[in-house]
Amino acid sequence: MASVTTTTASLPFVNYKMQGPPPPVEKVPFSVIKEFDLVDEKKTAIREVALPKPKEKRLICKGCNEHENATLAYFQDRGIKDRNALATIMGNIRQESTFVPNICEGGARTSYQGCRWGGYGLIQWTSANRYHGLGEFAKKYGGSPSSLETQLRYLTTEVQWQRIVDRMKTPGKSIDRYMNYAYSWIGWGHHGARTSYAYDYANRLITVEV
């Protein structure tokens, strides 16, 4: 059998120049990627940098318990800033309940449902519409009607509070003047030591920066 000799000349001719342009480069050159990364990093840094939060002056109660200071903070957050106004609110709540939210008139500690007569809670809600209003508020918005948080939230939605809130937000008045406003809010039958408590709180409130 004759041998077959294959030479380069016998291979089919392929014109590589006629195959079209080279395939597109799928990746951006490293230097370009780096350039855009740097731009993005710079933009990200600008977005993430925030100005330092300015310090705020607040009143805290020296020697007060957790419920007292939580109540004080709550009313400040809602625009009551005057020392005497805050002290008046605190004095009234102390007279009514000593800041015990699950207290029934007479001193018994019980649940909302367990208070069968008299007032209940922080400001001793007594009338049927105000007492039942607390329960309905808790049912609608969540939370226990026997808790401090729920009662504070309910308190500031009541029409009795809404009638005096602008006056309590007005600074520069005496404790006695704020106490007159507070009467139309709580409607107490017995004044007790609420004014004395208010003056005591006014002396214990100190200004801090937070």
Side-chain angles (χ1 to χ4, degrees):
M1 179 181 294
S3 62
V4 178
T5 304
T6 305
T7 64
T8 304
S10 65
L11 293 175
F13 174 75
V14 178
N15 187 348
Y16 289 97
K17 294 183 179 180
M18 299 301 293
Q19 299 302 305
V25 178
E26 296 182 358
K27 295 184 179 180
V28 181
F30 177 78
S31 60
V32 178
I33 293 175
K34 191 64 178 177
E35 181 179 348
F36 279 100
D37 284 347
L38 290 174
V39 172
D40 288 343
E41 288 172 5
K42 184 177 180 181
K43 288 182 179 179
T44 301
I46 293 172
R47 287 196 299 268
E48 291 178 352
V49 171
L51 293 175
K53 184 179 178 181
K55 289 187 176 181
E56 177 188 3
K57 289 185 177 181
R58 302 270 292 185
L59 289 169
I60 62 171
C61 185
K62 185 178 180 180
C64 286
N65 63 34
E66 182 180 354
H67 279 189
E68 288 170 308
N69 269 308
T71 300
L72 179 61
Y74 181 86
F75 282 100
Q76 287 181 88
D77 288 341
R78 278 144 192 82
I80 313 296
K81 304 294 185 181
D82 186 90
R83 176 187 301 270
N84 286 343
L86 290 164
T88 299
I89 295 170
M90 301 282 284
N92 274 281
I93 294 177
R94 181 174 173 184
Q95 172 65 34
E96 294 293 327
S97 65
T98 62
F99 291 87
V100 177
N102 64 333
I103 190 170
C104 191
E105 189 168 339
R109 269 63 164 173
T110 184
S111 67
Y112 170 77
Q113 293 81 6
C115 187
R116 301 296 184 183
W117 61 274
Y120 183 76
L122 288 178
I123 60 171
Q124 292 293 281
W125 286 282
T126 304
S127 62
N129 63 324
R130 297 184 77 179
Y131 173 83
H132 291 300
L134 171 60
E136 291 301 315
F137 178 87
K139 186 185 300 182
K140 183 176 181 179
Y141 297 104
S144 167
S146 302
S147 72
L148 178 75
E149 179 184 3
T150 300
Q151 291 187 15
L152 287 173
R153 289 165 53 212
Y154 171 63
L155 182 161
T156 48
T157 66
E158 284 194 294
V159 64
Q160 291 85 352
W161 172 256
Q162 294 298 322
R163 288 172 184 161
I164 71 162
V165 63
D166 289 339
R167 293 178 179 180
M168 300 303 283
K169 287 181 179 179
T170 304
K173 300 185 183 300
S174 66
I175 285 178
D176 290 337
R177 177 63 63 86
Y178 288 121
M179 194 64 70
N180 287 336
Y181 302 151
Y183 175 76
S184 64
W185 162 40
I186 295 179
W188 60 75
H190 174 63
H191 186 277
R194 65 189 73 228
T195 297
S196 297
Y197 291 150
Y199 278 102
D200 177 58
Y201 281 119
N203 292 327
R204 294 163 67 189
L205 298 183
I206 59 174
T207 303
V208 297
E209 286 189 342
V210 295

